[in-house]
Amino acid sequence: MHEERLTEGPLHDDEGVLADRGWAVSALRAYDRSRVRAPSRRIKEWERYTVGDDEYAVCLTLADLGYCGVASALVVDLLQGASHAASAVVPLPLGRFRLPASPVAGTARFEGGRACFLFEVGDGRRRVEARFAGFDGADDLAFEAVLDCEPRESLVVADSWERDPLSFCYSQKTVAMRAQGSFKKGLLVHGFSPERSFGALDWGRGVLARDIVRFGACAQGWQDGAGGDAPGTHRFGLSLGSGLGDGEAASENMVLVDDEVCKLGRVSFDIPRKTGASRAARMEDRCQLMRPWRLSDDEGRLDLTFTPVVDRADRRDLGVVRIDLHRVFGRFDGAVALDDGSSFSVANVRGFSEASHTVC
């Protein structure tokens, strides 16, 4: 597979069609919602932050999906294998979330119902805050964190679906940012220290295909890269995915070691299947999501085993929007061949894998 590198310029041409498809290590193309020719109800804009260590992970999402908007919070206890999530849903936002046009600057705010979110980017730092009343029964959720030491490189991909000339997805995945902060849920208080905590960003804008089956993975932590027991000295992260475009010009796959992205080709997500369930409607009825997954690429550079700890399922049927999402948290082990040909060992890196089917 030959992948194209993006250069600077507008994301769309004068006809509202994606100007180029490809990848970069920074947001070289400028997203401008006014240049998108598709109806507002089809435009999707989202930002998701994941902050975690070896004990807890917190995921916060703001998503304007055209037909509906979602502000959601998820807290995962990795030691106990437990999780809880809550969402505020807004009908027909059609751009009213006013999410920033750039992943590297701007402010996103949401206040509605029980939830109050703030994502603020500037001065080399990202501030992420959330308040959610009655998040878990009578327990409120309060979260705040600052992400800094952002790696010099991230993975940016612009892609589309050939069957729909107005379709596109422009995304940036940033992993292994140092995180400092805390969350409080009822009587539970947990702090995230920059020595052992990291934050990741999944930022995306697009006019997506109506029916998408997607797989993905994200992990981050300290690693020594040699497969030994010594304390990790390398900042490591990975972001893998398929489904947000045809994938002909660029895949969504990379690992990061310290500040540099190592681009990978197409990745296969080998999830154990359930016998005789190939036509089952729900993802959990087709796949044994709590058994180990194998992740490998088409160039023989990636060989990882993902061992699940907890499956966080999110199923919604909002009429024109239907979501079947499984975000499975666990650990990654294996190895990846870097650009210089060396083998980098991966051992007990915490993160999550995803399997989803979305119609919207």
Side-chain angles (χ1 to χ4, degrees):
M1 173 184 174
H2 175 69
E3 300 203 2
E4 302 290 339
R5 291 292 297 262
L6 293 172
T7 57
E8 292 185 357
L11 186 63
H12 290 89
D13 63 20
D14 292 339
E15 302 300 319
V17 175
L18 189 68
D20 292 293
R21 299 191 296 173
W23 67 278
V25 294
S26 62
L28 297 177
R29 295 295 171 114
Y31 170 74
D32 183 348
R33 184 183 175 100
S34 68
R35 294 176 71 98
V36 179
R37 296 292 182 262
S40 294
R41 66 180 182 277
R42 291 196 60 198
I43 300 176
K44 312 293 189 276
E45 300 177 337
W46 68 89
E47 302 183 13
R48 181 178 70 193
Y49 284 94
T50 302
V51 176
D53 55 22
D54 289 340
E55 299 179 36
Y56 289 93
V58 177
C59 299
L60 301 176
T61 303
L62 286 178
D64 184 333
L65 304 178
Y67 291 105
C68 72
V70 178
S72 68
L74 166 65
V75 176
V76 181
D77 184 334
L78 297 169
L79 299 181
Q80 299 297 322
S83 66
H84 189 80
S87 300
V89 179
V90 177
L92 295 172
L94 302 175
R96 287 187 288 112
F97 274 33
R98 299 190 182 281
L99 298 181
S102 168
V104 298
T107 300
R109 298 179 186 272
F110 175 86
E111 294 187 20
R114 298 178 292 148
C116 178
F117 284 43
L118 171 67
F119 300 164
E120 187 175 54
V121 185
D123 298 325
R125 302 192 309 170
R126 297 176 182 271
R127 179 173 296 278
V128 184
E129 299 180 357
R131 302 287 185 274
F132 212 114
F135 171 76
D136 186 358
D139 291 341
D140 298 341
L141 174 68
F143 172 86
E144 58 181 15
V146 172
L147 311 183
D148 60 8
C149 297
E150 187 164 329
R152 182 174 62 251
E153 297 182 346
S154 58
L155 180 62
V156 176
V157 175
D159 203 357
S160 63
W161 289 263
E162 188 174 354
R163 63 184 182 272
D164 184 349
L166 294 181
S167 71
F168 76 96
C169 182
Y170 187 50
S171 65
Q172 175 166 320
K173 306 296 193 302
T174 305
V175 296
M177 293 179 279
R178 302 289 293 276
Q180 181 169 5
S182 65
F183 76 88
K184 181 178 186 298
K185 184 175 78 73
L187 298 178
L188 171 64
V189 178
H190 181 77
F192 293 110
S193 67
E195 292 78 20
R196 63 189 191 98
S197 306
F198 290 96
L201 168 65
D202 177 356
W203 182 98
R205 307 290 185 262
V207 174
L208 310 186
R210 174 161 170 75
D211 194 323
I212 297 175
V213 175
R214 173 164 171 76
F215 299 94
C218 175
Q220 47 198 353
W222 292 111
Q223 292 286 283
D224 67 7
D229 296 328
T233 57
H234 295 288
R235 185 167 46 161
F236 175 82
L238 68 84
S239 180
L240 311 175
S242 66
L244 291 181
D246 289 334
E248 296 299 325
S251 68
E252 305 171 48
N253 305 307
M254 65 94 166
V255 296
L256 180 128
V257 178
D258 298 323
D259 273 338
E260 295 184 4
V261 161
C262 179
K263 185 71 177 66
L264 302 174
R266 293 182 178 178
V267 168
S268 297
F269 293 78
D270 186 4
I271 309 171
R273 308 285 291 189
K274 292 187 176 180
T275 304
S278 60
R279 296 185 179 181
R282 300 197 306 180
M283 191 70 68
E284 63 190 41
D285 295 330
R286 299 197 301 269
C287 302
Q288 300 183 67
L289 296 165
M290 290 301 291
R291 291 186 59 189
W293 306 20
R294 182 166 182 261
L295 285 63
S296 59
D297 72 314
D298 58 0
E299 298 174 333
R301 298 177 59 183
L302 182 74
D303 186 4
L304 295 178
T305 297
F306 172 67
T307 304
V309 172
V310 56
D311 173 15
R312 181 64 208 182
D314 184 5
R315 287 184 294 274
R316 302 170 188 267
D317 189 344
L318 305 175
V320 293
V321 176
R322 299 195 301 277
I323 298 171
D324 181 7
L325 166 65
H326 290 263
R327 193 174 302 156
V328 186
F329 289 79
R331 56 177 281 183
F332 294 81
D333 298 271
V336 60
L338 303 181
D339 288 341
D340 63 4
S342 64
S343 178
F344 189 95
S345 294
V346 177
N348 195 27
V349 180
R350 299 290 180 166
F352 61 86
S353 293
E354 290 183 334
S356 66
H357 184 188
T358 304
V359 180
C360 62

